mmCIF file of all heavy atoms in Angstrom:
data_model
loop_
_atom_site.group_PDB
_atom_site.id
_atom_site.type_symbol
_atom_site.label_atom_id
_atom_site.label_comp_id
_atom_site.label_asym_id
_atom_site.label_seq_id
_atom_site.Cartn_x
_atom_site.Cartn_y
_atom_site.Cartn_z
ATOM 1 N N LEU U 5 74.079 -34.216 -13.076
ATOM 2 C CA LEU U 5 72.622 -34.139 -12.711
ATOM 3 C C LEU U 5 72.221 -35.328 -11.840
ATOM 4 O O LEU U 5 71.440 -35.163 -10.901
ATOM 5 C CB LEU U 5 71.773 -34.065 -13.968
ATOM 6 C CG LEU U 5 71.480 -32.647 -14.493
ATOM 7 C CD1 LEU U 5 70.639 -32.754 -15.755
ATOM 8 C CD2 LEU U 5 70.761 -31.808 -13.421
ATOM 9 N N LEU U 8 73.371 -34.621 -8.460
ATOM 10 C CA LEU U 8 72.529 -33.588 -7.840
ATOM 11 C C LEU U 8 71.229 -34.195 -7.333
ATOM 12 O O LEU U 8 70.761 -33.819 -6.223
ATOM 13 C CB LEU U 8 72.274 -32.460 -8.889
ATOM 14 C CG LEU U 8 71.530 -31.269 -8.330
ATOM 15 C CD1 LEU U 8 72.323 -30.580 -7.230
ATOM 16 C CD2 LEU U 8 71.294 -30.256 -9.466
ATOM 17 N N ALA U 9 70.632 -35.122 -8.075
ATOM 18 C CA ALA U 9 69.384 -35.779 -7.616
ATOM 19 C C ALA U 9 69.569 -36.438 -6.278
ATOM 20 O O ALA U 9 68.734 -36.353 -5.364
ATOM 21 C CB ALA U 9 68.909 -36.754 -8.671
ATOM 22 N N ARG U 13 70.562 -31.990 -0.563
ATOM 23 C CA ARG U 13 70.013 -30.622 -0.723
ATOM 24 C C ARG U 13 69.017 -30.542 -1.889
ATOM 25 O O ARG U 13 68.531 -29.448 -2.195
ATOM 26 C CB ARG U 13 71.172 -29.647 -0.960
ATOM 27 C CG ARG U 13 71.950 -29.323 0.304
ATOM 28 C CD ARG U 13 73.246 -28.661 0.026
ATOM 29 N NE ARG U 13 74.077 -29.557 -0.788
ATOM 30 C CZ ARG U 13 75.358 -29.341 -1.150
ATOM 31 N NH1 ARG U 13 75.929 -28.174 -0.791
ATOM 32 N NH2 ARG U 13 76.012 -30.195 -1.863
ATOM 33 N N ALA U 34 45.446 -36.863 -20.478
ATOM 34 C CA ALA U 34 45.806 -37.960 -21.347
ATOM 35 C C ALA U 34 47.246 -38.447 -21.044
ATOM 36 O O ALA U 34 48.153 -37.597 -20.950
ATOM 37 C CB ALA U 34 45.689 -37.558 -22.817
ATOM 38 N N ILE U 43 58.144 -42.131 -12.913
ATOM 39 C CA ILE U 43 58.226 -41.357 -11.665
ATOM 40 C C ILE U 43 58.764 -42.262 -10.539
ATOM 41 O O ILE U 43 59.558 -41.817 -9.700
ATOM 42 C CB ILE U 43 56.871 -40.698 -11.323
ATOM 43 C CG1 ILE U 43 56.592 -39.580 -12.362
ATOM 44 C CG2 ILE U 43 56.904 -40.105 -9.904
ATOM 45 C CD1 ILE U 43 55.253 -38.906 -12.202
ATOM 46 N N ALA U 72 26.384 -20.727 -10.756
ATOM 47 C CA ALA U 72 25.168 -20.925 -11.604
ATOM 48 C C ALA U 72 25.436 -20.532 -13.041
ATOM 49 O O ALA U 72 26.041 -19.480 -13.317
ATOM 50 C CB ALA U 72 24.042 -20.142 -11.027
ATOM 51 N N GLN U 87 40.050 -17.097 -12.971
ATOM 52 C CA GLN U 87 39.992 -18.474 -12.508
ATOM 53 C C GLN U 87 39.349 -19.365 -13.560
ATOM 54 O O GLN U 87 38.224 -19.060 -14.022
ATOM 55 C CB GLN U 87 39.152 -18.583 -11.207
ATOM 56 C CG GLN U 87 38.893 -19.988 -10.711
ATOM 57 C CD GLN U 87 40.115 -20.680 -10.161
ATOM 58 O OE1 GLN U 87 40.818 -20.125 -9.331
ATOM 59 N NE2 GLN U 87 40.387 -21.896 -10.625
ATOM 60 N N CYS U 94 38.992 -34.156 -7.183
ATOM 61 C CA CYS U 94 39.833 -34.255 -5.988
ATOM 62 C C CYS U 94 39.136 -33.735 -4.724
ATOM 63 O O CYS U 94 39.698 -32.940 -3.967
ATOM 64 C CB CYS U 94 41.143 -33.550 -6.210
ATOM 65 S SG CYS U 94 42.112 -34.283 -7.553
ATOM 66 N N GLN U 96 37.991 -33.916 -1.087
ATOM 67 C CA GLN U 96 38.589 -34.506 0.155
ATOM 68 C C GLN U 96 37.921 -35.819 0.516
ATOM 69 O O GLN U 96 36.715 -35.868 0.649
ATOM 70 C CB GLN U 96 38.487 -33.510 1.312
ATOM 71 C CG GLN U 96 39.264 -32.267 1.053
ATOM 72 C CD GLN U 96 38.994 -31.151 2.050
ATOM 73 O OE1 GLN U 96 38.210 -31.312 2.992
ATOM 74 N NE2 GLN U 96 39.651 -30.003 1.867
ATOM 75 N N ASP U 106 49.862 -47.349 -7.567
ATOM 76 C CA ASP U 106 51.081 -47.928 -8.073
ATOM 77 C C ASP U 106 52.274 -46.992 -7.940
ATOM 78 O O ASP U 106 53.389 -47.319 -8.332
ATOM 79 C CB ASP U 106 50.929 -48.309 -9.555
ATOM 80 C CG ASP U 106 49.927 -49.420 -9.747
ATOM 81 O OD1 ASP U 106 49.628 -50.113 -8.762
ATOM 82 O OD2 ASP U 106 49.396 -49.563 -10.869
ATOM 83 N N GLN U 113 58.462 -38.356 2.670
ATOM 84 C CA GLN U 113 58.258 -37.912 4.066
ATOM 85 C C GLN U 113 57.072 -36.951 4.178
ATOM 86 O O GLN U 113 56.440 -36.884 5.220
ATOM 87 C CB GLN U 113 59.519 -37.253 4.650
ATOM 88 C CG GLN U 113 60.637 -38.255 4.779
ATOM 89 C CD GLN U 113 61.891 -37.617 5.369
ATOM 90 O OE1 GLN U 113 61.840 -36.768 6.201
ATOM 91 N NE2 GLN U 113 63.045 -38.066 4.882
ATOM 92 N N ARG U 117 48.955 -31.335 1.094
ATOM 93 C CA ARG U 117 47.631 -31.135 0.489
ATOM 94 C C ARG U 117 47.415 -29.655 0.245
ATOM 95 O O ARG U 117 47.759 -28.813 1.084
ATOM 96 C CB ARG U 117 46.580 -31.740 1.427
ATOM 97 C CG ARG U 117 46.645 -33.255 1.413
ATOM 98 C CD ARG U 117 45.757 -33.873 2.442
ATOM 99 N NE ARG U 117 45.622 -35.276 2.248
ATOM 100 C CZ ARG U 117 45.010 -36.068 3.108
ATOM 101 N NH1 ARG U 117 44.480 -35.612 4.255
ATOM 102 N NH2 ARG U 117 44.903 -37.378 2.846
ATOM 103 N N GLU U 132 49.003 -20.135 -2.763
ATOM 104 C CA GLU U 132 47.653 -20.258 -3.301
ATOM 105 C C GLU U 132 47.376 -19.193 -4.344
ATOM 106 O O GLU U 132 48.151 -18.256 -4.569
ATOM 107 C CB GLU U 132 46.631 -20.224 -2.146
ATOM 108 C CG GLU U 132 46.873 -21.410 -1.211
ATOM 109 C CD GLU U 132 45.799 -21.574 -0.138
ATOM 110 O OE1 GLU U 132 44.699 -21.044 -0.261
ATOM 111 O OE2 GLU U 132 46.064 -22.322 0.823
ATOM 112 N N ALA U 133 46.237 -19.321 -5.036
ATOM 113 C CA ALA U 133 45.927 -18.490 -6.177
ATOM 114 C C ALA U 133 45.700 -17.005 -5.846
ATOM 115 O O ALA U 133 45.719 -16.165 -6.734
ATOM 116 C CB ALA U 133 44.700 -19.046 -6.928
ATOM 117 N N ALA U 142 57.745 -23.916 1.079
ATOM 118 C CA ALA U 142 59.048 -23.289 0.943
ATOM 119 C C ALA U 142 59.789 -23.331 2.267
ATOM 120 O O ALA U 142 60.976 -23.661 2.335
ATOM 121 C CB ALA U 142 58.892 -21.847 0.443
ATOM 122 N N SER U 152 67.459 -27.123 -4.153
ATOM 123 C CA SER U 152 67.246 -27.464 -5.582
ATOM 124 C C SER U 152 66.047 -28.401 -5.653
ATOM 125 O O SER U 152 65.970 -29.382 -4.878
ATOM 126 C CB SER U 152 68.448 -28.167 -6.175
ATOM 127 O OG SER U 152 69.568 -27.300 -6.126
ATOM 128 N N PHE U 162 49.551 -26.577 -15.596
ATOM 129 C CA PHE U 162 48.818 -25.975 -14.459
ATOM 130 C C PHE U 162 49.614 -26.230 -13.182
ATOM 131 O O PHE U 162 50.492 -25.440 -12.819
ATOM 132 C CB PHE U 162 47.357 -26.469 -14.388
ATOM 133 C CG PHE U 162 46.520 -25.849 -15.496
ATOM 134 C CD1 PHE U 162 46.405 -26.447 -16.734
ATOM 135 C CD2 PHE U 162 45.951 -24.579 -15.306
ATOM 136 C CE1 PHE U 162 45.698 -25.842 -17.779
ATOM 137 C CE2 PHE U 162 45.258 -23.942 -16.339
ATOM 138 C CZ PHE U 162 45.121 -24.585 -17.583
ATOM 139 N N ALA U 171 58.567 -22.178 -7.019
ATOM 140 C CA ALA U 171 59.821 -22.693 -6.418
ATOM 141 C C ALA U 171 60.946 -21.744 -6.802
ATOM 142 O O ALA U 171 61.764 -21.353 -5.948
ATOM 143 C CB ALA U 171 60.097 -24.123 -6.944
ATOM 144 N N LYS U 196 52.260 -21.065 -22.926
ATOM 145 C CA LYS U 196 52.521 -20.043 -21.896
ATOM 146 C C LYS U 196 53.455 -20.585 -20.790
ATOM 147 O O LYS U 196 54.360 -19.911 -20.345
ATOM 148 C CB LYS U 196 51.217 -19.631 -21.275
ATOM 149 C CG LYS U 196 51.279 -18.437 -20.349
ATOM 150 C CD LYS U 196 49.904 -17.908 -20.029
ATOM 151 C CE LYS U 196 49.866 -17.326 -18.656
ATOM 152 N NZ LYS U 196 48.542 -17.321 -18.039
#
Side-chain angles (χ1 to χ4, degrees):
L5 270 178
L8 186 60
R13 286 165 298 186
I43 292 176
Q87 174 70 52
C94 298
Q96 296 170 1
D106 295 341
Q113 293 181 36
R117 289 172 168 171
E132 298 190 16
S152 298
F162 287 91
K196 189 167 150 206

